[in-house]
Amino acid sequence: LKCLLLATPLRRSASPCRGSLPIVGRSSRELPFAMAGPAHQQNLLPRQTEMLQSLQQNDPLIDQVVVYSKFVVAYLLQQDGANPGWRKANIEGPVYVVRRRGTPRFQLLVKNQFSTNDLLDDLHPDWELDCQKNYVFYKVEDPSKRIRGLWFHDDNERQRIEGVIEKTLKEVRSQPAEPQTEPQPQVMPAGKAEPDNQAPDTYSYQQSATAAPQDSIMINTNSVKLALRALADDDTFVNMVMQKLKDNAART
């Protein structure tokens, strides 16, 4: 990633490190402390509480703003075509690193002040992070997505945000991978009627047919209904019954 960034500098008219990008005239800052979720909102200043509540309108699972900066400009790296290089993503506004109560645990969000087209990325152990003066670059885990660049007016601000992102990535990488589990079908308890708004549960019958032999088998009205429904859905069984009926009709 570092070699690639050095080979394709951000461009407008000259090197970005010489301050060729326009100064946007907006101050930016990092919050002096992370903003907690609803349980601790009484300790936050009104402005900070308003900011957190605004983010929670779009994502109720956000419970903390880890770091915040008032203004960045987002860029994307164009690597193919006749003129490769950095291109503005038409996304400008405040940047947040937020913590969530669900998965993904952390996200980076640039809230676009021009439209609803925000930049939202999940912090992932496979992220690659790099920087230049006034810029933070990161490559996400999805190889089909372009490398991102964030421009900061103040390089001290950039260094603070970069440090928090690096620290958060270390936390993400230290967490064990969550096991991917498939939802298990639920077997209807014996004697309990099926809900009217659900399709017939044929899994219970199929599972009992392949289960290990038991010392005793309980037969009740519900299990008979399930067995008959499963047979009615079996084309082979229905065809066999139809053939028997035709044979009997031919004999008579």
Side-chain angles (χ1 to χ4, degrees):
L1 176 58
K2 191 174 186 66
C3 295
L4 180 60
L5 294 174
L6 292 175
T8 55
L10 279 165
R11 335 178 184 172
R12 244 175 116 77
S13 59
S15 169
C17 294
R18 293 197 292 270
S20 62
L21 291 178
I23 301 300
V24 296
R26 293 177 172 87
S27 62
S28 59
R29 65 184 177 86
E30 176 189 356
L31 286 181
F33 53 88
M35 296 195 302
H40 304 282
Q41 285 186 7
Q42 65 273 16
N43 297 324
L44 301 180
L45 298 176
R47 174 81 176 99
Q48 298 163 349
T49 302
E50 180 183 352
M51 183 187 303
L52 181 58
Q53 290 175 345
S54 176
L55 293 172
Q56 289 172 336
Q57 288 178 2
N58 294 326
D59 185 356
L61 294 181
I62 294 176
D63 66 357
Q64 184 178 359
V65 175
V66 180
V67 72
Y68 155 76
S69 186
K70 192 172 183 180
F71 186 82
V72 298
V73 179
Y75 286 79
L76 298 174
L77 180 59
Q78 178 73 34
Q79 296 179 253
D80 51 3
N83 187 24
W86 291 95
R87 303 287 186 269
K88 289 187 71 172
N90 295 321
I91 299 175
E92 302 179 11
V95 59
Y96 307 86
V97 174
V98 299
R99 190 186 71 183
R100 305 172 70 255
R101 292 190 295 273
T103 303
R105 182 63 167 163
F106 296 96
Q107 289 182 319
L108 185 148
L109 168 67
V110 179
K111 196 72 175 173
N112 197 355
Q113 63 183 13
F114 298 129
S115 70
T116 57
N117 180 30
D118 301 332
L119 178 65
L120 180 64
D121 290 314
D122 306 334
L123 270 69
H124 190 275
D126 293 337
W127 267 30
E128 297 180 35
L129 191 67
D130 203 351
C131 69
Q132 293 179 12
K133 184 179 179 181
N134 295 101
Y135 292 95
V136 169
F137 307 104
Y138 62 95
K139 181 180 180 182
V140 299
E141 74 283 359
D142 187 347
S144 66
K145 293 184 177 180
R146 299 179 183 178
I147 298 174
R148 284 86 157 95
L150 302 178
W151 175 82
F152 295 81
H153 168 58
D154 183 357
D155 191 57
N156 290 328
E157 175 80 353
R158 184 271 304 171
Q159 293 179 47
R160 287 194 293 269
I161 298 299
E162 179 193 359
V164 174
I165 295 175
E166 287 181 337
K167 182 179 178 181
T168 307
L169 283 174
K170 287 182 180 179
E171 181 176 346
V172 171
R173 290 165 180 154
S174 66
Q175 299 299 320
E178 296 185 2
Q180 300 297 324
T181 59
E182 296 182 359
Q184 298 297 321
Q186 295 182 353
V187 180
M188 190 73 65
K192 184 176 180 180
E194 283 189 63
D196 294 336
N197 59 348
Q198 292 185 2
D201 182 7
T202 60
Y203 177 79
S204 299
Y205 170 76
Q206 294 169 353
Q207 187 183 45
S208 63
T210 57
Q214 303 294 324
D215 293 338
S216 61
I217 299 176
M218 180 179 295
I219 299 177
N220 52 38
T221 303
N222 190 56
S223 62
V224 173
K225 287 181 179 179
L226 291 176
L228 290 175
R229 287 173 184 169
L231 291 174
D233 291 334
D234 188 341
D235 291 340
T236 302
F237 175 78
V238 173
N239 291 335
M240 181 181 67
V241 172
M242 291 297 297
Q243 186 61 44
K244 289 289 184 181
L245 292 174
K246 288 180 183 178
D247 293 345
N248 290 338
R251 292 194 188 98
T252 58

